[in-house]
């Protein structure tokens, strides 16, 4: 390896070395030189490294720079470690000078070695550049002709010279066939014997017959259930030989002849003659006639019917009714496809939408109504526990209406226009409920006191169980009918509990006799009860005909299977037990008037709500006889109130023709939203669906409304804690009641 030493550059102005305070520095690389700050001065060590060339056997093996040489003259914004070393070695900031022209000449040389020890720092001053201080801001304009501009390092050129610098006159496109993808392929099951494929199929069939029915078959495989059934075949032409006939004698006496003629069923009249047969021959004839009757009749043997009779026969056929129901659902799907998707949850409001607002709004999806239910008030309805799309609705009749009897319609979300089942009864329907263990059974209570259990899997009324007057003495309306899970005493089978207008609580066992047991009979209030205050009546000498009030509400405790609650038409709540007959545990006055609904919170089993005719909906806690929160809007009775199954603080109730949505977490003095009836008719009942996304309401005209909840808040993580905190927040103005509530907080769990 050899090295050559290049002499020091010619210094044209050796006496013009400027001090660090000078503000004059001129570089020949740009026409307009910007004064560089101290951190943008090129390091002397980097310049010396650029001037060094390494020659090995006349071959330049100098390592190439990591950066483009053209960009070396662009100012850097950060000072490198080499610059710091250069500043320390130079001893003065003003001695860091460079000559662009000298460096450019050195770059064009083939080999050079610069010895920093022999060349003083002050002698490396370019003849065409002047140094200025790092803090100067003066710039000088240079001639435009001498400008050697470097490409920008911050962006790429807009036109790539390697890609079509000019538009070609012709462009050649080569089109190739893409790979073929087989999505579905069904191979043919037949083949021509004249082709190799047909011969292969024939050989495979022969091999299969050899293994299944031929010599290669195995008896164990033939008898197994996974083998196909053997089909007996025969050729086209058959021949049956004639049976040989021979004379055969038989010895009989007079007694045998007498016994034969004494049995008239053994004689057959044919062409005016009596032919006597034996018992064996008659049995063979009867079997032949029975088999002949089971065979399909030919066209000549079919009875001739009129077109009207033929249509009536077809309409009554079960298969035709099922096919017609499926066709009706397909047609209804074309109309209600969007609302049905919203009902089952396929279309939901975007929770991340920027215009999302908590409006608690109800959006009407559809209305269940039909001609036979028009004008009938809805007495009760119940969602199926097994299928959330099925809704059973019971209808009563008006007092002065020509329509009599009761009606039960089974509605399905697949066809909102027409019901799937229609059942008529002689008495008006008062209540109904689905069975949880047997989803096809529906228990129905009537105004005459009867209880019936029907099977809805059939189109006609199929009564499985029915109460009798001997075993069920009730003759008043059954206001509540509920299926309750049995305990060990009843082999954990479901029992039916009912309450009627005479103040009785009955239990019906699902057995063959369907006998009822009287669990409780309540009596009217005497004296003062804890709870709300009652209005004093002017007529204190009023004598009641019946000493038992009507039991309008029946509610089972959510955690204790032996405890249940009864609400009367006097507004009193009775706590009862199935272990103590004819005696209640405790009672308190919840409303000053009839009580219409009672329901426990699905998130806290100690908190429940009630509503009644005193215009109020009250929230209670088990163990206290003073209401925690009272919700009221107008001077009208609250017919029904329910908890939301997805939000612990949301309650829905109905007042006349209004549906009110309350959120006790936000406010308790006014509902969060009020929805009016589309027909301005009074509502009688409402309930949430199991998922809490829909709300169903019914009115006195027989129409059932399905609403979708829009703009609902997000469910909290700890529903129970949020409910308790909301109630405590509402009791800030009642410190005594709040203290009593906090004493019961450990018992919430």
């Amino acid at each position: 390896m050899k090295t050559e030493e290049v002499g020091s550059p010619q210094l044209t102005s050796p006496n013009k070395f400027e001090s660090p305070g000078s503000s004059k520095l001129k570089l020949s690389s740009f026409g307009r030189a910007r004064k560089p700050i101290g951190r943008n001065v090129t390091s002397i060590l980097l310049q010396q490294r650029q001037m060094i060339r390494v020659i090995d056997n006349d071959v330049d093996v100098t390592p190439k720079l990591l950066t483009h040489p053209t960009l070396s003259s662009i100012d850097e914004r950060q000072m490198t470690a080499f610059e710091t070393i250069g500043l320390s070695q130079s001893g003065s900031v003003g001695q860091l000078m460079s000559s662009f022209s000298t460096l450019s000449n050195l770059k064009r040389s083939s080999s050079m070695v610069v010895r920093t020890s022999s060349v003083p720092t002050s002698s490396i001053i370019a003849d065409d550049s002047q140094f200025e201080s790092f803090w100067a801001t003066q710039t000088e304009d240079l001639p435009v002709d001498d400008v050697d501009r470097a490409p920008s390092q911050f962006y790429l050129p807009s036109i790539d010279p390697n890609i079509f610098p000019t538009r070609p006159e012709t462009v050649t496109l080569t089109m190739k066939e893409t790979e073929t993808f087989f999505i579905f392929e069904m191979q043919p099951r037949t083949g021509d014997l004249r082709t190799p494929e047909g011969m292969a199929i024939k050989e495979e069939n022969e091999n299969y017959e050899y293994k299944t029915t031929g010599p290669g078959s195995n008896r164990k495989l033939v008898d197994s259930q996974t083998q196909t059934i053997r089909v007996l075949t025969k050729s086209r032409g058959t021949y049956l030989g004639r049976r040989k006939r021979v004379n055969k004698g038989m010895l009989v006496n007079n007694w045998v002849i007498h016994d034969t003629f004494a049995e008239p069923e053994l004689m057959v009249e044919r062409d005016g003659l009596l032919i006597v047969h034996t018992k064996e021959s008659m049995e063979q004839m009867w079997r032949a006639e029975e088999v002949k009757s089971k065979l399909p009749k030919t066209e000549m043997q079919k009875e001739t019917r009129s077109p009207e009779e033929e249509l009536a026969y077809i309409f009554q056929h079960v298969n035709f009714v099922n096919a017609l129901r499926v066709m009706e659902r397909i047609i209804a799907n074309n109309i209600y496809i969007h609302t049905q998707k919203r009902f089952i949850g396929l279309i939901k409001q975007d929770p991340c939408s920027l215009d999302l607002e908590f409006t608690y709004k109800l959006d009407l999806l559809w209305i269940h109504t039909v001609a036979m239910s028009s004008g009938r008030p809805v007495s009760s309805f119940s969602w199926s526990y097994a299928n959330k799309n099925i809704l059973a609705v019971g209808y009563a009749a008006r007092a002065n209406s020509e329509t009599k009897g009761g009606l039960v319609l089974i509605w399905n979300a697949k066809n909102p226009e027409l019901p799937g089942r229609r059942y008529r009864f002689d008495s008006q329907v008062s209540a109904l409920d689905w069975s949880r263990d047997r989803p096809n059974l529906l228990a129905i209570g009537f105004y005459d006191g009867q209880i019936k259990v029907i099977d809805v899997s059939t189109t006609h009324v199929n009564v499985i169980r029915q109460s009798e007057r001997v075993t069920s003495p009730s003759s008043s309306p059954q206001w509540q009918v509920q299926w309750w899970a049995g305990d060990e005493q009843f082999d954990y089978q479901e029992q039916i509990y009912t309450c009627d207008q005479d103040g009785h609580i009955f239990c019906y066992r699902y057995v063959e006799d369907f006998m009822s047991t009287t669990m409780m009979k309540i009596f009217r209030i005497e004296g003062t009860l804890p709870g709300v205050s009652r209005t004093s009546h002017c007529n204190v000498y009023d004598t009641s005909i019946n000493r038992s009030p009507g039991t309008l509400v029946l509610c089972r405790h959510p955690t204790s299977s032996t405890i249940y609650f009864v609400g009367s038409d006097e507004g009193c709540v009775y706590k009862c037990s199935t272990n103590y007959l004819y005696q209640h545990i405790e009672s308190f006055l919840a409303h000053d008037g009839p009580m219409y609904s009672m329901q426990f919170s699905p998130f806290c089993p100690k908190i429940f709500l009630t509503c009644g005719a005193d215009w109020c909906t009250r929230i209670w806690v088990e163990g206290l006889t003073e209401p925690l929160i009272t919700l009221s809007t107008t001077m009208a009775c609250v017919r029904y109130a329910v908890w939301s199954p997805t939000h612990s603080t949301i309650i829905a109730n109905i007042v006349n023709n209004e549906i009110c949505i309350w959120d006790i977490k936000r406010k308790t003095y006014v509902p969060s939203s009020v929805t009016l009836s589309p027909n301005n008719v009074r509502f009688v009942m409402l309930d949430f669906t199991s998922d809490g996304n829909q709300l169903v309401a019914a009115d006195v005209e027989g129409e059932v409304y399905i609403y979708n909840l829009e703009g609902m808040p997000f469910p909290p993580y700890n529903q129970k804690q949020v409910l308790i905190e909301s109630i405590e927040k509402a009791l800030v103005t009642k410190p005594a009641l709040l203290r009593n509530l906090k004493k019961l907080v450990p018992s919430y769990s």
Side-chain angles (χ1 to χ4, degrees):
M1 179 183 296
K2 65 178 181 177
T3 57
E4 297 178 4
E5 181 177 352
V6 180
S8 60
Q10 300 294 333
L11 303 178
T12 56
S13 301
N15 299 326
K16 293 183 180 181
F17 180 80
E18 300 293 340
S19 65
S22 175
S23 61
K24 294 181 181 181
L25 176 62
K26 183 169 63 176
L27 301 177
S28 62
S29 59
F30 296 97
R32 183 178 179 85
R34 181 173 54 89
K35 94 172 149 96
I37 61 176
R39 301 179 62 180
N40 294 334
V41 177
T42 305
S43 176
I44 296 178
L45 296 179
L46 292 178
Q47 297 177 10
Q48 295 175 359
R49 176 176 292 183
Q50 293 177 4
M51 293 184 294
I52 296 175
R53 290 294 181 267
V54 181
I55 306 300
D56 185 11
N57 297 330
D58 297 333
V59 178
D60 189 0
V61 293
T62 306
K64 296 182 180 180
L65 298 177
L66 296 178
T67 59
H68 197 276
T70 310
L71 302 179
S72 61
S73 60
I74 298 180
D75 297 339
E76 297 290 341
R77 292 187 175 271
Q78 297 182 357
M79 182 178 293
T80 62
F82 291 103
E83 297 173 4
T84 307
I85 298 173
L87 288 175
S88 62
Q89 292 181 358
S90 60
S92 175
V93 180
Q95 295 178 358
L96 296 177
M97 297 173 294
S98 62
S99 174
F100 180 81
S101 58
T102 305
L103 291 176
S104 60
N105 294 329
L106 293 176
K107 289 179 182 179
R108 286 191 295 267
S109 62
S110 60
S111 62
M112 62 189 69
V113 174
V114 178
R115 298 181 180 176
T116 56
S117 60
S118 61
V119 182
T121 306
S122 60
S123 63
I124 312 178
I125 302 176
D127 56 343
D128 56 348
S129 62
Q130 295 181 357
F131 280 80
E132 63 179 346
S133 67
F134 295 144
W135 302 273
T137 58
Q138 182 180 357
T139 59
E140 295 184 8
D141 295 336
L142 297 178
V144 181
D145 297 337
D146 297 336
V147 174
D148 185 8
R149 295 185 179 275
S152 176
Q153 58 177 335
F154 301 104
Y155 63 90
L156 297 176
S158 59
I159 300 177
D160 192 350
N162 297 326
I163 302 177
F164 294 138
T166 58
R167 179 176 296 179
E169 296 180 357
T170 59
V171 179
T172 303
L173 300 179
T174 303
M175 303 182 66
K176 298 181 180 180
E177 182 180 0
T178 58
E179 184 180 356
T180 303
F181 295 92
F182 292 93
I183 300 177
F184 175 77
E185 181 181 6
M186 179 180 290
Q187 297 293 339
R189 298 181 178 271
T190 60
D192 191 358
L193 289 177
R194 295 172 295 181
T195 60
E197 292 80 3
M199 296 300 295
I201 295 174
K202 181 180 178 181
E203 183 179 356
E204 184 179 356
N205 293 338
E206 293 176 353
N207 188 20
Y208 177 77
E209 292 181 358
Y210 173 80
K211 292 181 179 180
T212 55
T213 60
S217 62
N218 191 353
R219 185 177 301 275
K220 295 182 180 180
L221 295 177
V222 173
D223 296 337
S224 62
Q225 298 180 358
T226 57
Q227 297 298 320
T228 56
I229 300 176
R230 183 177 180 182
V231 180
L232 300 177
T233 59
K234 64 180 181 179
S235 59
R236 294 179 180 227
T238 58
Y239 174 77
L240 181 62
R242 185 177 180 179
R243 296 180 60 184
K244 294 182 180 181
R245 304 179 66 181
V246 295
N247 295 328
K248 185 176 181 181
M250 181 178 292
L251 178 62
V252 294
N253 52 19
N254 295 334
W255 298 106
V256 175
I257 297 175
H258 177 269
D259 294 339
T260 302
F261 279 92
E263 297 180 2
E265 63 273 6
L266 300 179
M267 294 184 295
V268 178
E269 183 178 359
R270 185 178 298 173
D271 298 335
L273 299 176
L274 291 176
I275 301 175
V276 181
H277 295 271
T278 61
K279 291 184 178 181
E280 292 77 6
S281 61
M282 287 300 297
E283 290 177 357
Q284 293 178 1
M285 292 177 59
W286 291 337
R287 293 194 195 98
E289 291 293 335
E290 184 179 359
V291 173
K292 185 178 179 181
S293 63
K294 293 181 179 180
L295 296 176
K297 296 182 179 180
T298 60
E299 295 294 334
M300 299 300 296
Q301 293 176 344
K302 289 184 179 179
E303 299 178 0
T304 58
R305 301 176 182 174
S306 62
E308 291 79 8
E309 295 177 350
E310 190 70 23
L311 288 176
Y313 174 77
I314 294 175
F315 291 160
Q316 295 177 358
H317 203 275
V318 178
N319 295 336
F320 176 79
V321 175
N322 294 335
L324 183 62
R325 185 181 300 108
V326 173
M327 185 59 63
E328 290 174 350
R329 291 177 179 178
I330 294 175
I331 297 174
N333 183 260
N334 297 331
I335 303 174
Y336 297 95
I337 181 63
H338 183 71
T339 55
Q340 287 174 344
K341 288 182 179 180
R342 295 175 61 188
F343 178 80
I344 64 178
L346 293 180
I347 300 178
K348 294 182 180 180
Q349 189 175 7
D350 186 10
C352 300
S353 178
L354 297 179
D355 56 351
L356 179 63
E357 297 180 0
F358 297 151
T359 58
Y360 302 86
K361 185 179 65 174
L362 298 180
D363 188 10
L364 182 63
L365 297 180
W366 61 71
I367 302 176
H368 288 305
T369 180
V370 73
M372 64 176 62
S373 64
S374 179
R376 289 176 173 266
V378 176
S379 58
S380 178
F381 62 76
S382 176
W383 288 100
S384 174
Y385 303 107
N387 191 344
K388 61 167 291 186
N389 299 329
I390 298 177
L391 177 67
V393 184
Y395 300 86
R398 296 183 183 275
N400 301 325
S401 175
E402 297 179 357
T403 304
K404 304 297 181 182
L407 178 66
V408 173
L409 300 180
I410 309 297
W411 295 94
N412 197 323
K414 296 179 180 179
N415 186 8
E417 291 288 343
L418 298 174
R421 297 286 189 272
R422 309 173 186 181
Y423 305 113
R424 294 182 179 272
F425 301 95
D426 297 334
S427 180
Q428 303 179 36
V429 178
S430 58
L432 48 82
D433 188 26
W434 292 94
S435 173
R436 291 174 174 83
D437 293 344
R438 306 173 184 88
N440 60 316
L441 298 184
L442 181 66
I444 306 174
F446 297 90
Y447 271 73
D448 59 357
Q450 287 188 355
I451 300 295
K452 293 182 180 180
V453 179
I454 64 173
D455 185 3
V456 300
S457 61
T458 59
T459 55
H460 60 278
V461 180
N462 184 15
V463 180
I464 306 299
R465 298 286 186 271
Q466 182 177 358
S467 62
E468 300 294 339
R469 190 66 65 187
V470 178
T471 58
S472 179
S474 177
S475 60
S476 58
Q478 301 282 358
W479 295 122
Q480 291 287 327
V481 176
Q482 298 178 5
W483 291 83
W484 290 0
D487 51 9
E488 185 179 0
Q489 179 183 359
F490 302 105
D491 296 333
Y492 301 99
Q493 293 184 358
E494 281 187 322
Q495 314 298 323
I496 299 178
Y497 284 77
T498 64
C499 61
D500 62 359
Q501 183 62 32
D502 293 337
H504 292 88
I505 308 298
F506 296 102
C507 174
Y508 292 84
R509 292 192 60 188
Y510 189 75
V511 291
E512 187 175 356
D513 56 358
F514 203 60
M515 185 177 60
S516 65
T517 302
T518 303
M519 305 296 295
M520 177 65 62
K521 184 177 182 180
I522 61 176
F523 297 93
R524 294 195 176 275
I525 299 174
E526 295 181 359
T528 304
L529 290 179
V532 300
S533 59
R534 300 184 64 185
T535 303
S536 300
H537 299 280
C538 297
N539 188 7
V540 297
Y541 301 102
D542 187 13
T543 303
S544 177
I545 299 176
N546 188 3
R547 288 184 54 82
S548 298
T551 52
L552 305 182
V553 178
L554 181 63
C555 180
R556 193 180 191 184
H557 198 278
T559 57
S560 180
S561 60
T562 60
I563 303 297
Y564 64 93
F565 295 85
V566 178
S568 66
D569 57 4
E570 294 180 328
C572 184
V573 177
Y574 299 86
K575 183 179 181 180
C576 309
S577 174
T578 56
N579 298 328
Y580 302 96
L581 305 182
Y582 306 105
Q583 183 180 1
H584 63 273
I585 300 175
E586 60 182 17
S587 61
F588 65 94
L589 194 64
H591 294 274
D592 186 15
M595 176 179 168
Y596 296 119
S597 175
M598 178 179 179
Q599 186 179 14
F600 280 86
S601 172
F603 302 98
C604 186
K606 291 290 184 179
I607 297 177
F608 61 93
L609 62 82
T610 59
C611 67
D614 58 351
W615 320 330
C616 297
T617 300
R618 294 186 172 93
I619 299 177
W620 307 78
V621 62
E622 188 177 358
L624 295 180
T625 58
E626 184 178 356
L628 302 178
I629 299 176
T630 301
L631 309 176
S632 180
T633 55
T634 59
M635 299 174 63
C637 65
V638 182
R639 291 291 303 178
Y640 217 83
V642 290
W643 291 93
S644 172
T646 56
H647 298 76
S648 59
T649 59
I650 293 181
I651 299 173
N653 60 7
I654 50 176
V655 181
N656 286 340
N657 62 338
E658 298 177 350
I659 300 178
C660 302
I661 305 296
W662 299 80
D663 191 353
I664 61 177
K665 180 182 178 182
R666 300 181 62 184
K667 48 191 174 183
T668 59
Y669 58 90
V670 65
S672 299
S673 69
V674 177
T675 304
L676 298 178
S677 171
N679 299 328
N680 197 18
V681 183
R682 179 169 57 88
F683 290 109
V684 294
M685 191 177 179
L686 88 162
D687 194 8
F688 285 95
T689 55
S690 59
D691 56 3
N693 296 328
Q694 287 79 31
L695 185 71
V696 56
D699 59 13
V700 295
E701 294 296 332
E703 295 185 351
V704 181
Y705 307 90
I706 307 297
Y707 291 95
N708 193 67
L709 280 77
E710 301 289 343
M712 300 298 292
F714 302 108
Y717 177 73
N718 193 341
Q719 300 266 17
K720 179 180 176 181
Q721 185 66 26
V722 173
L723 176 60
I724 296 174
E725 291 177 356
S726 302
I727 294 176
E728 292 178 352
K729 180 181 178 181
L731 294 178
V732 174
T733 57
K734 300 178 181 179
L737 182 58
L738 182 59
R739 285 194 300 269
N740 295 333
L741 176 63
K742 290 183 177 180
K743 293 179 181 179
L744 297 175
V745 169
S747 63
Y748 278 131
S749 59

